[in-house]
Structures are given as C-alpha cells and as structure tokens.
C-alpha cells in the first residue's frame, strides 16, 4: 500500500516528537542524578540546574506541539527513557573519575539532542508545519548552547579534577 509523502512526513514527525519527549525525560533523570552527587563542581551544578529548567520548558513545548496535532506523549516511552537515564547515571557512580565520565556523556547526549531537533525542524519544514518552527528552533538553540558549554568547560573541568585528586580530595564528584 502506497502512502502519500505528506502522511509519511506527519507520521515520522509525530514519532520524532514523541521520541524527543522521552529523551527530554531521560535528560531530566540524568541531570537529577548528577545534581544529587555533585560536591566539588559548583559551576557544573549551576549550569545543570539552569539546563534542567530549560529541559522542563522543552517538555512543555513538545507537549504543546503534540497537542496541535491532537497527539500526546507516550507514557511508556517517557518511563523507559527516565529509567534509562537513571541507569546511565548510576553506571558512572562507580567510576573514580565520575565527573569526567558524566561530562563525556553529557557532551554526547547534548549533541544527540541537537541532531534530533535539527531533524525535527527538517520534517516540520518539509511537512508545512510552520507553526512549530519557532519553538523547535528555540529548543535547538538551548541544546546547542548546552553542548557548547560542556565542550568549552571540559579542559578546565579536567584540570580541576586532577588538582583535587593530587591534593588528596574527593575529586570524582
């Protein structure tokens, strides 16, 4: 059975929005677990708290966009992604360099989100869903900014980790 390109675009776009909603729930879980454990890296904690607020707003944007299509988020996807985020964060707690592992994971995760929103914007453009372009672009900008922050701060974070470790302090978090 052949389907129209418009129908396929809409279906792929809706699936992408639901996936992004789940990924944002995963992001909240990752951020929360990291914030629970951070002790020596106030700048990282401050940026994570800021991005947590952005993530909550991003979830609201996605829900609003889904509502425009008479769709809602997938509770199952959200729960699975939240659990995945918690498990991923837990895996780093055993590492002596937990802060570094978390930073590497955050860099990868933020860039994954950037790619996801770029794809959603292409789908929205090609599908003629112009009313959602601005909120998707706003979220993309926030994710790009967070990815850039992690990238720009990795060297200083690594140096601080080494300095704390050399001083015999708890450097891992």
């Amino acid at each position: 059975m052949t389907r129209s390109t418009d129908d396929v675009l809409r279906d792929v776009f809706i699936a992408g929005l639901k996936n992004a909603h789940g990924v944002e729930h995963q992001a909240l879980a990752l951020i929360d677990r990291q914030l629970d454990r951070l002790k020596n890296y106030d700048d990282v904690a401050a940026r994570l708290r800021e991005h947590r607020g952005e993530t909550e707003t991003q979830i609201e944007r996605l829900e609003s966009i889904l509502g425009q299509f008479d769709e809602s988020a997938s509770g199952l996807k959200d729960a699975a992604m939240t659990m995945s985020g918690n498990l991923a964060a837990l895996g780093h707690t055993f590492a002596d360099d937990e802060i570094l592992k978390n930073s590497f994971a955050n860099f990868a995760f933020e860039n994954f989100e950037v790619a996801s929103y770029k794809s959603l914007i292409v789908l929205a453009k090609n599908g003629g869903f112009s009313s959602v372009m601005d909120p998707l672009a706003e979220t993309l900008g926030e994710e790009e900014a967070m990815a850039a922050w992690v990238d720009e701060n990795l060297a200083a974070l690594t140096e601080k980790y080494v300095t704390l470790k050399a001083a015999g302090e708890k450097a891992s978090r």
Side-chain angles (χ1 to χ4, degrees):
M1 173 178 173
T2 304
R3 298 180 60 213
S4 75
T5 302
D6 288 345
D7 287 343
V8 172
L9 274 167
R10 183 187 187 286
D11 290 350
V12 172
F13 183 64
I14 296 302
L17 291 170
K18 290 180 180 185
N19 289 338
H21 193 272
V23 167
E24 295 302 350
H25 278 275
Q26 183 179 20
L28 286 178
L30 286 166
I31 291 169
D32 287 345
R33 295 303 70 76
Q34 289 180 39
L35 286 172
D36 288 346
R37 295 184 50 79
L38 272 172
K39 302 286 184 238
N40 293 311
Y41 301 89
D42 294 338
D43 54 335
V44 174
R47 186 61 178 101
L48 285 174
R49 278 191 291 279
E50 179 183 345
H51 193 57
R52 190 186 194 294
E54 291 171 342
T55 302
E56 289 172 341
T57 301
Q58 293 165 0
I59 289 170
E60 291 170 6
R61 283 185 203 127
L62 288 166
E63 289 170 353
S64 174
I65 293 169
L66 283 164
Q68 291 179 40
F69 292 89
D70 293 322
E71 297 281 347
S72 60
S74 167
L76 182 60
K77 263 185 197 172
D78 290 351
M81 296 303 280
T82 297
M83 185 183 338
S84 171
N86 282 320
L87 291 172
L90 177 65
H92 294 164
T93 63
F94 302 107
D96 185 47
D97 60 348
E98 177 182 359
I99 186 68
L100 297 179
K101 297 277 191 298
N102 283 341
S103 294
F104 305 157
N106 289 346
F107 182 74
F109 193 84
E110 293 303 326
N111 281 286
F112 176 86
E113 288 181 300
V114 165
S116 297
Y117 284 103
K118 284 182 176 183
S119 179
L120 284 170
I121 289 169
V122 167
L123 292 166
K125 181 180 176 186
N126 291 340
F129 313 132
S130 59
S131 66
V132 304
M133 295 294 285
D134 287 344
L136 290 174
E138 188 171 359
T139 296
L140 174 61
E142 292 164 352
E143 299 299 359
E144 288 173 330
M146 185 63 184
W149 186 90
V150 174
D151 186 35
E152 292 162 5
N153 287 275
L154 185 58
L157 180 74
T158 302
E159 290 167 353
K160 182 173 182 175
Y161 169 79
V162 170
T163 300
L164 288 170
K165 191 162 181 73
E169 296 183 37
K170 181 83 171 175
S172 66
R173 52 191 177 115

